[in-house]
């Protein structure tokens, strides 16, 4: 995020794009509500009537898969009505002329796109004018932007909106990608990416490579690694044994539940020579593990998390872990040592100090500062206590070598898989507030399971339910070209006709049996938010209920849960 979460409530306008804070991040949503209470204008762009839409001044209920079309229509209005910040553009950006050549085309006017995006042209114009003329204005976006085959282009498009209106490099403005799970920002910060060392330092940069080789005392590769979403390709389709993946060490992740096209994922896990799962509980991926390494959870160890706004925060041990459970870093150190590279640390602070001294943007974020200030937002480039970090990025100049922001534009393209006669509905995967992510943690909480459990729900427009003769709570079969699952029907006015939504944490109602592995070519993120499905009514509901109960019991048993003992309680 270019700005701190605490800045949100001071924005005068918030463009909430594909982001459902009420379900994903209630604390961040509270900042949006405070902004509203202070008089801020709220624009919500989302195919569903999410909570942000309920408090919005304008709800742009676009059709799924048309994100970039709507962004360009907003840009077109701002340009043609001369609502852009000419001084900011001239002084602080490059690429304006090439950008204008794309967004100024007649095909991107509100009138030209209204049928496709399913929003009246005048409503698009109203939103563009509101965003461009109300300052400071902030953009918040979530997985509704990032989980498409053209995700990066939309992210750049939202950055274009901020730059062309001068809403960046200032308090309570900017662009905020609100990360999907806790410490996702931290994983990226620490180099858990195939193309970066910690601190977003490129693996392919010779100077960076030399620095880390010297610090670690080993020869390092200058080639990017394999993104998680490329694993099936590297296992199933790669013909060269030297380029194939043979081993997979997975920790804090459940690809057999969260990746698209789950049958392909399972086939990959079965074919691998070695699968190691390092986690706090057994999960769907652990069923395929040759080795399971039980690790500590957040309250059983010390460490540092990164918040979505670049804030480093301490986490402290409060209880002792169960017998036989090890710290993540301790497990990694011992495996490394047994493989020939001696790795030994006394504590997490020693690891942290080694990391931050190799990362110019992190070097000032000491444990002492985090203790005194409660957290430190990077960049923080000095260990001096007066350097408290940076809340607002790009003040005065951008991070590019020339100090300027670069406009970028390309043509819109449709999602890869559209509705058809055989699969007439679109599927959007979403989150809910009751269960977190893939449910590895919340699924092991008896109270939360008692509130909501298998097989989950498919949200559908009430008119679609009537056409299919399906009532609320009935179990239905949902199918795509890749697989099927069973779930309950939830009729709701929050969905558009022809569109459906499911959460991805359920084992029986596993919507990733359906999703497509169409990847954005730059981010390698799957198109979780759009694929074609069909919904079948099940006439024998007693059979369906028994199937869900039996299958759920079997899955829990395979995960080592003493089902009989649990049921006896």
């Amino acid at each position: 995020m270019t700005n701190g979460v605490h800045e949100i409530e001071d924005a005068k306008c918030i463009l909430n794009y594909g982001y459902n804070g009420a379900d994903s991040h209630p604390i961040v949503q509270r900042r949006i509500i405070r902004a509203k209470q202070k008089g801020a204008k709220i624009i919500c762009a989302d195919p569903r009537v999410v909570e942000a839409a309920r408090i919005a001044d304008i709800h742009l209920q676009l059709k799924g898969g048309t994100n970039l079309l709507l962004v360009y229509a907003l840009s077109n209005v701002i340009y043609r009505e001369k609502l852009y910040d000419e001084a900011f553009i001239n002084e602080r950006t490059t690429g304006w002329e090439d950008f204008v050549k794309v967004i100024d085309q007649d095909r991107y006017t509100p009138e030209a796109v209204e049928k496709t995006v399913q929003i009246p042209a005048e409503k698009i114009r109203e939103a563009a004018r509101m965003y461009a003329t109300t300052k400071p204005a902030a953009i918040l976006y979530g997985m509704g932007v990032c989980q498409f085959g053209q995700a990066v282009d939309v992210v750049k498009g939202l950055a274009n909106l901020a730059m062309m209106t001068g809403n960046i490099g200032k308090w309570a403005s900017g662009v905020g990608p609100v990360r999907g799970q806790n410490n996702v920002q931290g994983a990226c910060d620490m180099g858990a990416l195939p193309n970066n060392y910690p601190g977003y330092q490129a693996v392919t940069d010779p100077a960076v490579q030399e620095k880390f080789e010297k610090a670690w005392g080993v020869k390092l590769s200058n080639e990017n690694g394999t993104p998680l979403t490329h694993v099936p390709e590297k296992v199933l389709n790669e013909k060269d044994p030297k380029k194939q993946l043979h081993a997979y060490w997975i920790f804090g992740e459940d690809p057999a539940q969260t990746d698209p096209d789950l049958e392909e994922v399972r086939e990959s896990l079965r074919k691998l020579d070695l699968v190691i799962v390092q986690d706090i509980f057994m999960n769907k991926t652990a069923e395929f593990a040759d080795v399971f390494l039980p690790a500590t959870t957040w309250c059983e160890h010390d460490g540092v998390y990164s918040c979505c706004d670049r804030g480093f925060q301490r986490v402290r041990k409060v209880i002792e872990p169960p017998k036989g459970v090890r710290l993540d870093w301790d497990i990694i150190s011992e495996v490394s040592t047994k493989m020939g590279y001696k790795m030994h640390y006394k504590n997490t602070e020693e690891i942290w100090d080694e990391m931050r001294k190799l990362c110019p943007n992190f070097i000032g974020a000491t444990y002492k500062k985090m203790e005194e200030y409660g957290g430190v937002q990077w960049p923080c480039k000095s260990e001096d206590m007066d350097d408290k970090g940076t809340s607002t990025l790009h003040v005065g100049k951008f991070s590019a070598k020339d100090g300027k922001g670069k406009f970028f534009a390309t043509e819109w393209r449709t999602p890869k898989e559209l509705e058809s006669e055989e699969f007439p509905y679109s599927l959007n995967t979403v989150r809910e507030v009751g269960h977190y992510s893939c449910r590895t943690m919340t699924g092991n909480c008896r109270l939360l399971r008692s509130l909501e459990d298998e097989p989950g729900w498919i949200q559908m427009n009430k008119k679609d339910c009537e056409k299919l003769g399906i009532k609320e709570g009935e179990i239905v079969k949902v199918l795509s070209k890749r697989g099927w699952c069973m779930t309950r029907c939830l009729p709701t006015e929050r969905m558009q006709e022809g569109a459906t939504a499911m959460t991805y944490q359920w084992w029986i109602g596993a919507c990733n049996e359906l999703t497509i592995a169409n990847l954005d070519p730059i981010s390698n993120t799957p198109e979780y938010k759009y694929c074609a499905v069909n919904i079948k009514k099940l006439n024998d509901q007693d059979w369906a209920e028994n199937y869900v109960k039996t299958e759920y019991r079997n899955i829990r048993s395979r995960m080592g849960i003493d089902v009989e003992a649990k049921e006896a309680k």
Side-chain angles (χ1 to χ4, degrees):
M1 294 177 69
T2 63
N3 299 70
V5 168
H6 54 283
E7 297 182 40
I8 292 171
E9 64 182 80
D10 291 333
K12 298 301 181 186
C13 179
I14 297 174
L15 173 55
N16 196 95
Y17 209 110
Y19 173 54
N20 183 12
D23 279 353
S24 300
H25 313 102
I27 303 302
V28 179
Q29 179 70 13
R30 183 59 190 151
R31 297 283 185 175
I32 298 172
I33 292 171
R34 285 179 185 171
K36 176 76 172 179
Q37 291 170 335
K38 291 180 179 181
K41 301 294 185 182
I42 308 291
I43 305 165
C44 177
D46 202 293
R48 296 189 300 154
V49 185
V50 295
E51 289 305 308
R54 290 163 67 94
I55 65 168
D57 296 272
I58 300 174
H59 179 202
L60 301 173
Q61 193 174 10
L62 72 164
K63 177 174 171 55
T66 63
N67 282 339
L68 193 61
L69 263 186
L70 178 57
V71 169
Y72 282 177
L74 295 169
S75 304
N76 181 281
V77 173
I78 293 170
Y79 174 71
R80 291 192 174 184
E81 296 189 8
K82 300 188 184 302
L83 302 176
Y84 52 87
D85 188 331
E86 188 171 9
F88 184 93
I89 292 167
N90 291 338
E91 294 169 13
R92 298 202 48 195
T93 71
T94 61
W96 172 249
E97 292 79 10
D98 290 336
F99 168 69
V100 167
K101 287 178 184 177
V102 176
I103 59 101
D104 190 33
Q105 296 177 82
D106 288 342
R107 66 186 298 237
Y108 293 128
T109 64
E111 289 73 19
V113 306
E114 66 177 342
K115 185 176 180 180
T116 305
V117 300
Q118 297 181 0
I119 302 169
E122 192 51 43
K123 200 170 189 179
I124 297 173
R125 291 186 180 279
E126 182 185 0
R129 292 164 185 157
M130 181 179 288
Y131 172 76
T133 61
T134 313
K135 298 186 178 183
I139 298 173
L140 301 178
Y141 67 86
M143 297 302 101
V145 166
C146 299
Q147 292 178 343
F148 275 102
Q150 199 173 11
V152 171
D153 294 341
V154 181
V155 169
K156 290 179 179 179
L158 292 172
N160 292 336
L161 282 175
M163 288 194 296
M164 71 190 298
T165 57
N167 276 305
I168 198 163
K170 301 169 185 175
W171 183 267
S173 61
V175 182
V178 194
R179 309 303 291 264
Q181 302 170 34
N182 85 315
N183 208 36
V184 167
Q185 183 71 46
C188 298
D189 289 351
M190 296 303 106
L193 294 167
N195 58 340
N196 285 327
Y197 290 111
Y200 303 95
Q201 300 174 83
V203 166
T204 55
D205 186 323
V208 170
Q209 180 183 357
E210 183 181 357
K211 177 174 66 173
F212 280 91
E213 286 180 341
K214 184 178 180 180
W216 293 341
V218 293
K219 182 68 178 174
L220 298 169
S221 172
N222 63 352
E223 296 183 6
N224 291 330
T226 300
L228 181 150
T229 47
H230 285 204
V231 168
E233 175 68 23
K234 288 287 186 178
V235 175
L236 301 175
N237 300 325
E238 177 59 61
K239 303 302 181 185
D240 185 345
K242 293 182 179 180
K243 295 180 180 180
Q244 288 174 345
L245 284 182
H246 297 276
Y248 199 6
W249 187 353
I250 305 161
F251 58 100
E253 190 78 18
D254 190 5
Q257 180 69 25
T258 61
D259 279 15
D261 194 354
L262 288 181
E263 181 51 40
E264 183 181 61
V265 174
R266 289 190 291 266
E267 186 181 354
S268 302
L269 291 169
R270 284 191 288 262
K271 187 175 179 181
L272 283 157
D273 297 323
L274 174 65
V275 176
I276 304 168
V277 171
Q278 183 171 323
D279 218 310
I280 62 175
F281 291 110
M282 293 289 285
N283 55 32
K284 293 290 285 182
T285 304
E287 293 188 54
F288 299 90
D290 299 288
V291 179
F292 186 89
L293 303 173
T296 52
T297 186
W298 66 272
C299 59
E300 297 168 345
H301 57 225
D302 294 317
V304 177
Y305 286 173
S306 291
C307 183
C308 57
D309 64 358
R310 300 166 281 105
F312 291 133
Q313 298 171 306
R314 288 286 311 281
V315 57
R316 296 168 180 83
K317 179 180 178 179
V318 293
I319 62 173
E320 289 295 326
K323 186 178 180 180
V325 173
R326 302 278 293 275
L327 301 166
D328 277 316
W329 64 264
D330 187 35
I331 294 171
I332 294 168
S333 296
E334 185 167 340
V335 172
S336 174
T337 299
K338 288 185 180 297
M339 291 178 69
Y341 179 80
K342 292 183 179 180
M343 187 182 290
H344 175 75
Y345 298 98
K346 297 176 183 176
N347 50 46
T348 57
E349 186 172 13
E350 187 176 352
I351 299 171
W352 183 258
D353 286 344
E354 176 189 287
M355 182 281 306
R356 65 180 178 80
K357 288 176 181 178
L358 289 165
C359 303
N361 282 331
F362 302 164
I363 194 168
T366 62
Y367 264 38
K368 183 178 180 181
K369 282 190 194 177
M370 283 186 271
E371 187 74 39
E372 183 160 332
Y373 301 137
V376 178
Q377 286 175 273
W378 64 266
C380 185
K381 299 187 177 185
S382 170
E383 294 184 354
D384 191 293
M385 291 299 290
D386 291 335
D387 185 352
K388 298 180 181 181
T390 308
S391 180
T392 307
L393 296 181
H394 312 308
V395 177
K397 66 176 183 178
F398 288 93
S399 58
K401 289 183 179 180
D402 61 2
K404 294 188 175 184
K406 182 175 178 58
F407 283 98
F408 173 89
T410 188
E411 302 295 343
W412 170 73
R413 60 181 184 269
T414 65
K416 183 174 183 179
E417 185 177 87
L418 300 177
E419 301 90 323
S420 64
E421 185 176 347
E422 184 179 2
F423 300 101
Y425 301 94
S426 64
L427 172 67
N428 177 11
T429 66
V430 299
R431 286 185 168 89
E432 65 177 44
V433 72
H435 279 285
Y436 181 74
S437 190
C438 59
R439 211 164 54 109
T440 298
M441 291 178 285
T442 58
N444 283 282
C445 175
R446 187 168 53 201
L447 176 60
L448 291 174
R449 285 206 318 273
S450 69
L451 293 172
E452 189 66 64
D453 209 344
E454 295 287 350
W457 303 82
I458 181 167
Q459 300 173 35
M460 300 172 60
N461 185 276
K462 290 183 176 181
K463 292 181 180 178
D464 289 330
C465 295
E466 291 172 2
K467 291 175 187 176
L468 295 171
I470 302 170
K471 298 177 182 178
E472 181 173 349
E474 288 188 335
I475 297 176
V476 297
K477 188 173 185 179
V478 190
L479 310 94
S480 77
K481 292 180 180 179
R482 288 153 296 282
W484 62 273
C485 65
M486 290 167 62
T487 188
R488 297 190 189 278
C489 172
L490 180 61
T492 173
E493 294 177 351
R494 294 192 179 208
M495 298 299 303
Q496 298 166 310
E497 284 189 66
T500 70
M502 295 176 69
T503 56
Y504 63 87
Q505 74 268 22
W506 305 112
W507 295 335
I508 312 297
C511 62
N512 280 322
E513 300 284 358
L514 314 168
T515 50
I516 186 170
N518 179 41
L519 308 181
D520 180 279
I522 300 173
S523 70
N524 294 299
T525 302
E527 198 155 50
Y528 287 116
K529 299 298 181 185
Y530 209 96
C531 71
V533 298
N534 203 348
I535 299 143
K536 298 293 185 183
K537 177 181 173 67
L538 297 176
N539 292 321
D540 191 341
Q541 286 294 302
D542 290 337
W543 174 87
E545 293 286 356
N546 185 63
Y547 172 86
V548 170
K549 182 179 179 180
T550 304
E551 187 64 16
Y552 189 24
R553 198 174 191 276
N554 291 340
I555 292 172
R556 287 165 61 80
S557 295
R558 291 200 302 271
M559 290 187 177
I561 298 170
D562 190 341
V563 177
E564 290 185 4
K566 294 283 186 182
E567 290 175 350
K569 292 181 179 180

